[in-house]
Structures are given as C-alpha cells and as structure tokens.
C-alpha cells in the first residue's frame, strides 16, 4: 500500500521519536522538502545526509583523533552533530545507495541513537529514504538494518503537489498543465540523447522550470530549448502548446462564470500573474471563441475584473491592461470593449486622461 502526503503527515504525528521511519519511492518526489516543511513548522531542526555521496564512514561519524588525556582514539564530531542538546530529525537520504562500510555505521545509530559512542540528544528522530526502481545503482540492505525501520512506500498524489505548488507560487502555467496532464508530473521520456542522459519531468524539475519561465510573460519557441533541458523535449513541446492555450482557458472561466467565485483565487495572484491574466483576457476576446449570448456576461465580468484591480491596490495593472489595448495588438478586444462594455471603455478613457 502506498501513502500520500496527508497519510505521511498522520504517520509522523503518531510515530514516537524512538521509532525509525523508512520512505520508499522514486527520486524527485519531494520527500526531503515535505519532511523539512513538516518539522520546521513544529520548530524542529532537520539534518539531511546524502549517504550515497559519502565515500567512507568518516564522512558520517567524523575523523579520528588522539585524545591527549587518555591516549586513546576519539572521533571528532561531524559538522552536523547537535551541540546544543536539542533534538534533531536526522534524514538519511539515499540509504540504499550508500557504501556497505557506511551502512555499518548506521546500525548503532538506528538502534541506540549513538554515533561513534556519542549519543544524539533525547527525542531525536531518524528517518531514511530509499530509491525504488531499476534505473538506480543500489546497495542491498542488511535485513537486520531494515528490521529497525517502519517502512512505507511513499507516493505523494498529484493533488498533494498542486496544493504545494499553489502555496509555493509555482508558475500558474505549470499548475494548469499538470492539472490537465497529471501523468507528466513524475514521468515521461525523451529521445535522441546519449544513454543514461534522458531527461524526464519530476517534481523537482518542474520547480526549476517555474524559476526560469516566471520572467517571461509569454512563452515562445525561443524558450523551448531552455525548458527542454529540464523536463525533456517531448514534454516541453506539450507544455508550450498547453501554455499558449491556457491563457484562453483561464480567461474564459473568469469571464463566463460568476465573477465573485474567482475573488479568492485572484487574491492569491501577485502582479506578474495578474499581468499574465490581463494578456489572457484580451487573447480570449481576440479569439472570439464565445457565444453571442455570453456577450453581456463577458462585458459585466470584464468591468468587474478591471474594478477589482483598483480595489485590490493594483492600479498599475489597470495601466498595463490599457497599454495592451493601446499597442493595437488586440483590435477585436478594443472593438468589443468600445461597443459591448461602454462602462469599462469610459473608465479606460478616464484612466488615460488622468495619467
């Protein structure tokens, strides 16, 4: 049985700190981020150790040194070891990619909360993550080590990610694409690259994509190679096609339904996203992909949206809306406003007059 983020939170809430947890899943699904967010909200420090990157036990337990008082060998505490006696959450990532000699040092840690004879602060937790899949170079885990963990196969749902993406201000074009194409959140394929260099999307790569495209109000073929290197060329092509249509879809929803239902969502949008919506609304009007019977509702909602920009302190976006029309890129939109939305047309005229 697989668990999602909500179920994982419940497990973390009800598992004593003395019991170890192991999460099994693919890379890039957000294991470390979810744990860091959960424990940070509780005021607990998370220390992440990438065991697959450690070349020998010294990377984990510290380097040996001679104790001048006893003449015996001690181990210098590693950089991450808590010195304030405050409990920590030790996240052992890539456990089944660690070298066998590194895994041996984990045995005492998971059983006794000790590392080279030094105890972790009381209340410290140990959580590990292992990769699942034939594409990884993995180390077989000792059954005695495995038996010291409560094991859960973790697969956060698409809805889990969408909730996180909205809170984390992931580019709305990506959120819309994943809503309509959930199969591309964690998987995909790419062709034409050297062996073992195929790019496919995962949650981590979508976040990187968001960081790059946020600076572009409109996506063109110029940015497509840039994004292809992150999520793969096949998925990038689908995403760009969807992004071009998405402005129309979002605008249609806002203009053809009850405007008041959109207030909560609009309040979550920053200036950059509202400017994208400005463009989308005019693109939708320009496309004329609406019924004549909807013109009155479109006119009413468009004016309500324009008023919302002012009421919510986004007067500069009213100016942006007007500048798009003035650029003569949307003649059908200007014609619609001047003939079907006289109230809005008057407000635009007054806006220009007061500039």
């Amino acid at each position: 049985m697989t668990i999602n983020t909500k179920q994982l939170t419940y497990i973390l809430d009800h598992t004593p700190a003395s019991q170890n947890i192991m999460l099994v899943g693919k890379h890039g699904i957000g294991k470390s981020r979810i744990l860091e967010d959960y424990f940070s909200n509780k005021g607990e420090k998370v220390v992440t150790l990438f065991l697959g990157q450690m070349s020998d036990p010294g990377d984990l337990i510290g380097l040996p040194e001679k104790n001048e008082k006893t003449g015996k060998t001690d181990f210098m505490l590693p950089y991450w070891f808590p010195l304030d006696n405050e409990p920590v959450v030790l996240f052992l990532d890539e456990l089944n990619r660690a070298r066998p000699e590194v895994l041996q040092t984990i045995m005492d840690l998971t059983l006794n909360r000790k590392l080279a004879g030094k105890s972790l602060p009381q209340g410290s937790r140990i959580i590990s993550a292992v990769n699942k899949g034939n594409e990884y170079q993995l180390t077989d885990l000792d059954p005695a080590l495995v038996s010291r963990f409560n094991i859960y196969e973790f697969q956060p749902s698409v809805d889990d990610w969408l909730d996180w993406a909205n809170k984390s201000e992931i580019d709305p074009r990506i959120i819309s694409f994943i809503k309509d194409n959930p199969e591309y959140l964690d998987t995909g394929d790419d062709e034409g690259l050297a062996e073992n260099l195929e790019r496919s999307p995962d949650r981590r790569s979508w976040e990187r994509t968001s960081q790059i495209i946020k600076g572009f109000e409109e996506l063109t073929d110029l940015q497509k190679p840039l994004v292809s290197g992150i999520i793969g060329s096949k998925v990038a092509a689908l995403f760009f096609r969807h992004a071009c249509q998405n402005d129309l879809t979002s605008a249609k929803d806002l203009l053809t339904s009850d405007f008041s239902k959109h207030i909560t969502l609009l309040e979550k949008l920053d200036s950059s996203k509202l400017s994208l919506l400005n463009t989308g609304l005019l693109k939708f009007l320009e496309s004329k992909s609406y019924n004549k019977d909807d013109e009155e509702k479109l006119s009413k909602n468009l004016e309500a949206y324009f008023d919302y920009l002012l009421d919510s302190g986004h007067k500069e976006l009213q100016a942006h809306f007007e500048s798009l029309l003035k650029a003569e890129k949307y003649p059908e939109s200007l014609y619609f406003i001047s003939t079907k939305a006289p109230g809005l047309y008057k407000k635009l005229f007054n806006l220009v007059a007061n500039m």
Side-chain angles (χ1 to χ4, degrees), residues 88-106:
V88 296
V89 179
L90 200 55
F91 180 47
L92 307 177
D93 203 3
E94 302 179 334
L95 183 67
N96 60 340
R97 300 185 73 179
R99 295 173 178 267
E101 55 270 27
V102 173
L103 289 175
Q104 290 302 314
T105 66
I106 301 297

Side-chain angles (χ1 to χ4, degrees), residues 325-342:
L325 288 170
K326 188 168 60 178
E328 299 182 356
K329 189 176 181 180
Y330 302 102
E332 294 294 336
S333 301
L334 183 58
Y335 177 76
F336 176 89
I337 292 172
S338 62
T339 59
K340 306 296 182 182

Side-chain angles (χ1 to χ4, degrees), residues 81-146:
F81 199 92
L83 300 177
D84 53 9
N85 206 34
E86 291 294 324
V88 296
V89 179
L90 200 55
F91 180 47
L92 307 177
D93 203 3
E94 302 179 334
L95 183 67
N96 60 340
R97 300 185 73 179
R99 295 173 178 267
E101 55 270 27
V102 173
L103 289 175
Q104 290 302 314
T105 66
I106 301 297
M107 299 291 281
D108 193 29
L109 183 63
T110 54
L111 183 62
N112 301 312
R113 296 294 193 275
K114 288 185 177 181
L115 198 62
K118 298 178 178 65
S119 298
L120 290 176
Q122 186 71 24
S124 293
R125 292 177 176 269
I126 295 177
I127 300 176
S128 71
V130 299
N131 293 321
K132 176 186 178 182
N134 296 326
E135 66 269 35
Y136 305 110
Q137 297 178 354
L138 305 177
T139 303
D140 291 333
L141 297 178
D142 190 315
L145 176 60
V146 173

Side-chain angles (χ1 to χ4, degrees), residues 283-323:
K283 281 184 177 180
F284 175 72
L285 292 176
E286 202 68 20
S287 70
K288 302 180 72 172
S289 56
Y290 51 85
N291 297 323
K292 193 172 182 63
D293 294 341
D294 291 332
E295 288 181 349
E296 184 178 351
K297 181 177 287 187
L298 263 63
S299 171
K300 180 180 177 181
N301 285 346
L302 193 61
E303 185 172 354
Y305 170 73
F306 190 78
D307 290 342
Y308 167 81
L309 293 179
L310 179 61
D311 295 340
S312 59
H314 291 292
K315 187 175 181 179
E316 78 283 358
L317 287 167
Q318 285 189 323
H320 173 257
F321 187 90
E322 185 275 334
S323 68

Side-chain angles (χ1 to χ4, degrees), residues 244-302:
C244 292
Q245 299 169 347
N246 182 51
D247 286 341
L248 299 181
T249 303
S250 300
K252 181 179 180 180
D253 189 34
L254 186 146
L255 292 178
T256 59
S257 60
D258 184 357
F259 181 80
S260 63
K261 294 180 179 179
H262 300 280
I263 297 296
T264 301
L265 176 61
L266 289 173
E267 290 174 345
K268 296 179 180 179
L269 302 182
D270 60 19
S271 296
S272 63
K273 293 173 185 175
L274 286 170
S275 67
L276 288 174
L277 184 56
N278 279 352
T279 304
L281 292 170
L282 295 182
K283 281 184 177 180
F284 175 72
L285 292 176
E286 202 68 20
S287 70
K288 302 180 72 172
S289 56
Y290 51 85
N291 297 323
K292 193 172 182 63
D293 294 341
D294 291 332
E295 288 181 349
E296 184 178 351
K297 181 177 287 187
L298 263 63
S299 171
K300 180 180 177 181
N301 285 346
L302 193 61

